[in-house]
Amino acid sequence: MFHGLTYPGIRCILENLDVSKRILLASRAPAIQRVDKSIPFYVKSVHINENYFFLNDISVVHIPRTSELLFEDTHKEICRQVEPNLEKKEVLEKMFNYYLGGRKNIYLDHVLLDSPMSELSLPPNLKLTINKMETRFCDFRDFLPIINARSFPLKEFTARDNKLVFLDHPVVHSAEKLVFHTNAINMAGMFHNINKLPNKNILIKFDSSDVIAILNVIGNWLNGRKEVGTKYIFSSRFKTNIDEVLAELQLLAEHFKVSGTPYFRIPIDVQSSIQINGIVVNEDGVLVSQLVTEVISTKKSVET
């Protein structure tokens, strides 16, 4: 005789079930619905915006013009009419609450936030335990109340912005890896601020050409202000941006080019050097040019 699954059995299944299948199952089984939100929820990525919400392969988009919600899950699309007279804020509140509300333990590898906190209607008492945090043109500090303290230090912190007024913060300083995106025309001030950071692993993605700003970073390092192991990678979709820096280095530091290699090695002192190299990498199917700048020990320089 079948007596049904006990709570430990249900927990074991739901915890290891694909997110979209788990949500579908819970929506159709009242018995599971009652315990679902008490069971840890493991998600690869969440993207939160004032008009849409992505949860792994699930996407929910609010279309204000037609007052509809567009649901998509593994290439299946369903469009639902929003209840009459519901304000957009109320629609989003219901949407976020359905997927995230009431869950005691939500574990995310990556969370992307690209709307100000004030524009969102997130569930009360929401707590996310995360590995990586990304913000786009909004202040990450506003979201710290919804991030579980156990998440810090972050494995990766990413910010897309043209101003970096919030860099002086423990969350930024303690991250294992920092990634900054900018399309600012004048990057000198931004790069100067980044140079003050204690982090050793920084990736800077930029669109505009600012050779002087990058050379100033290298010049700052020559004063011995960075430890061995510090690595900055300047990355651009436009190859000419990196080529211009390499061409300028060729003029200014030709005698520091290591014979038979693409490397420049500029001595800082008897113990360390700056190693610079231009490379091309495949980033999500797109070829991207990078200038890799790293402080290495003189011993490593001799052995390489």
Side-chain angles (χ1 to χ4, degrees):
M1 182 177 178
F2 180 68
H3 296 287
L5 288 172
T6 60
Y7 176 79
I10 293 175
R11 174 176 174 140
C12 182
I13 292 172
L14 291 185
E15 248 187 293
N16 294 283
L17 199 61
D18 175 77
V19 168
S20 59
K21 291 179 180 177
R22 173 171 169 174
I23 291 172
L24 180 63
L25 184 62
S27 69
R28 296 184 177 183
I32 291 177
Q33 217 172 77
R34 286 194 291 270
V35 299
D36 175 51
K37 295 198 174 185
S38 67
I39 296 171
F41 195 55
Y42 296 95
V43 184
K44 184 178 180 181
S45 64
V46 166
H47 183 172
I48 299 175
N49 179 275
E50 62 186 87
N51 291 310
Y52 54 79
F53 174 65
F54 298 156
L55 180 77
N56 282 8
D57 295 326
I58 299 171
S59 70
V60 187
V61 181
H62 178 245
I63 308 171
R65 182 176 55 83
T66 58
S67 296
E68 291 176 312
L69 279 179
L70 177 63
F71 297 86
E72 185 174 356
D73 182 8
T74 59
H75 309 296
K76 295 179 182 178
E77 288 189 4
I78 302 174
C79 208
R80 296 278 174 84
Q81 194 72 34
V82 174
E83 294 176 40
N85 304 319
L86 266 186
E87 295 290 332
K88 172 184 169 182
K89 189 170 184 179
E90 294 176 281
V91 174
L92 295 178
E93 186 176 355
K94 285 177 176 289
M95 177 179 73
F96 290 132
N97 195 61
Y98 178 77
Y99 289 102
L100 301 176
R103 296 191 182 276
K104 295 181 180 179
N105 297 291
I106 303 176
Y107 298 93
L108 303 177
D109 183 49
H110 178 262
V111 59
L112 169 56
L113 307 154
D114 67 358
S115 290
M117 183 70 162
S118 58
E119 299 294 325
L120 303 173
S121 302
L122 297 175
N125 303 317
L126 177 65
K127 283 292 180 182
L128 308 175
T129 303
I130 65 175
N131 290 324
K132 303 171 186 175
M133 181 179 192
E134 180 175 355
T135 59
R136 293 181 181 174
F137 299 103
C138 58
D139 195 332
F140 79 93
R141 293 172 295 188
D142 295 337
F143 294 93
L144 292 182
I146 69 170
I147 306 299
N148 194 316
R150 289 180 295 171
S151 303
F152 305 109
L154 295 173
K155 288 186 177 179
E156 186 172 305
F157 174 81
T158 301
R160 180 188 292 272
D161 214 321
N162 291 332
K163 55 185 184 302
L164 298 176
V165 296
F166 50 77
L167 283 180
D168 190 17
H169 195 284
V171 168
V172 178
H173 292 182
S174 63
E176 291 180 25
K177 180 180 180 180
L178 296 181
V179 182
F180 293 109
H181 298 241
T182 177
N183 57 9
I185 296 175
N186 183 356
M187 299 184 294
M190 179 176 290
F191 283 8
H192 178 70
N193 289 332
I194 288 175
N195 232 335
K196 298 176 182 177
L197 293 172
N199 308 74
K200 285 190 170 186
N201 188 3
I202 300 181
L203 171 62
I204 304 161
K205 298 184 176 185
F206 64 100
D207 294 333
S208 58
S209 177
D210 196 337
V211 176
I212 299 302
I214 296 176
L215 292 178
N216 283 342
V217 171
I218 298 170
N220 181 278
W221 288 15
L222 287 172
N223 295 324
R225 297 178 184 175
K226 290 297 178 184
E227 298 178 11
V228 170
T230 300
K231 179 188 286 188
Y232 285 11
I233 299 178
F234 300 91
S235 180
S236 180
R237 296 173 298 164
F238 307 107
K239 187 173 181 294
T240 53
N241 289 343
I242 300 300
D243 286 346
E244 286 179 19
V245 180
L246 289 171
E248 193 67 25
L249 280 171
Q250 188 66 39
L251 290 174
L252 298 174
E254 183 181 0
H255 49 298
F256 293 119
K257 187 78 175 286
V258 180
S259 178
T261 77
Y263 298 108
F264 290 89
R265 288 206 185 106
I266 307 172
I268 297 175
D269 49 39
V270 294
Q271 295 181 331
S272 61
S273 301
I274 301 172
Q275 179 170 281
I276 306 167
N277 182 29
I279 62 173
V280 176
V281 298
N282 189 318
E283 192 175 273
D284 298 325
V286 178
L287 292 180
V288 174
S289 295
Q290 295 185 340
L291 186 78
V292 182
T293 308
E294 183 178 11
V295 179
I296 63 172
S297 69
T298 302
K299 181 180 179 181
K300 178 180 177 181
S301 179
V302 171
E303 290 175 348
T304 303

